[in-house]
Amino acid sequence: RWQNGGFGAGTFAWSPDGSLAYIRATAGTDAFSGAGSWELHIRQRGQDRVLTTLPGVPGRGVSADDDDTFLAFSADGQYIALETTFTGPSQVRAAADGSLVKALPQGITMAVWAGTGLFYRDQGGVYRWDPTGTTSLVLPGVKWIRPRASSDGKWIAYSVRDSTGLPHVNVFSVSAGTTFSISSGGRVDAVFLTPTILWDREERLCTASDACFMSPTLPTGMTFIYDLATRLESRSVIAAVGAVWPRMD
């Protein structure tokens, strides 16, 4: 049973072989006081194991651009990455035996697997960690938001805000290490419907009469499709995207 015990409890991820990783709040965990703890579990071959225990976290304010909980297997299913700004530490573990492979740095957020690498950001920009043990800075100074990888691992789409606070969707080539913007308008929540077709949502800057909460922008109600092959954008009839299979992020 997966109880709600604060930020991140109930987060789960499937591996290519059908294994399930999930975060469970232990009995007595309370999101307001921070009492209790989280457990990172893996269920495979009919067995459920606790990989690690994480401290509880009291309720607090949330930044939509900076706070994140990410749990996902690598494309080959050999590794599990847990990145969280609400507790810690963020880490990479071997799926086979649950052993710690990499303790990720404090203060990271917005992680995503793409190709063989795990990408994440901190105040210095976006980094790539590879299972060979190499860590490199790939996008200096970039403060990406909600990165999503294509199912073939070749691309990562993400949002960045300009000086006014308006978000724009950029696409990063994993192999070339280059980026390009797909629209001059406000766009967020980009997700790959296919390896080359992106969906995203339009947002506008808030005005004095708007009831904005955690973001300086609001949805306009319009969504778009972008074709990486033709570099053309068109209106979409899809109002929202909940999940895409195969899921890589």
Side-chain angles (χ1 to χ4, degrees), residues 48-111:
D48 190 287
R49 293 181 290 132
V50 177
L51 300 186
T52 189
T53 300
L54 306 170
V57 57
R60 61 169 174 82
V62 177
S63 167
D65 288 354
D66 297 311
D67 278 317
D68 188 42
T69 294
F70 169 85
L71 178 66
F73 287 86
S74 58
D76 59 11
Q78 294 188 36
Y79 303 96
I80 306 167
L82 170 64
E83 168 266 300
T84 173
T85 57
F86 298 107
T87 185
S90 297
Q91 56 199 264
V92 179
R93 290 185 173 268
D97 60 9
S99 60
L100 181 65
V101 175
K102 172 71 174 179
L104 298 172
Q106 292 288 340
I108 70 163
T109 188
M110 303 293 168

Side-chain angles (χ1 to χ4, degrees), residues 164-190:
T164 70
L166 192 68
H168 305 271
V169 169
N170 288 357
V171 177
F172 173 75
S173 169
V174 173
S175 60
T178 56
T179 65
F180 61 91
S181 179
I182 71 170
S183 175
S184 60
R187 303 285 190 273
V188 296
D189 294 339

Side-chain angles (χ1 to χ4, degrees), residues 73-208:
F73 287 86
S74 58
D76 59 11
Q78 294 188 36
Y79 303 96
I80 306 167
L82 170 64
E83 168 266 300
T84 173
T85 57
F86 298 107
T87 185
S90 297
Q91 56 199 264
V92 179
R93 290 185 173 268
D97 60 9
S99 60
L100 181 65
V101 175
K102 172 71 174 179
L104 298 172
Q106 292 288 340
I108 70 163
T109 188
M110 303 293 168
V112 64
W113 285 107
T116 61
L118 179 69
F119 295 77
Y120 53 84
R121 75 161 167 90
D122 64 10
Q123 294 302 312
V126 176
Y127 296 79
R128 172 178 177 159
W129 172 83
D130 191 270
T132 61
T134 303
T135 301
S136 56
L137 179 63
V138 294
L139 291 174
V142 172
K143 190 177 181 180
W144 75 10
I145 304 167
R146 307 300 164 198
R148 297 292 183 268
S150 59
S151 60
D152 59 8
K154 294 181 178 180
W155 307 98
I156 300 174
Y158 61 93
S159 295
V160 287
R161 294 194 186 276
D162 62 24
S163 58
T164 70
L166 192 68
H168 305 271
V169 169
N170 288 357
V171 177
F172 173 75
S173 169
V174 173
S175 60
T178 56
T179 65
F180 61 91
S181 179
I182 71 170
S183 175
S184 60
R187 303 285 190 273
V188 296
D189 294 339
V191 60
F192 285 90
L193 303 181
T194 76
T196 59
I197 300 295
L198 268 171
W199 175 95
D200 60 24
R201 179 165 51 84
E202 184 179 66
E203 291 200 345
R204 63 168 176 82
L205 289 171
C206 294
T207 65

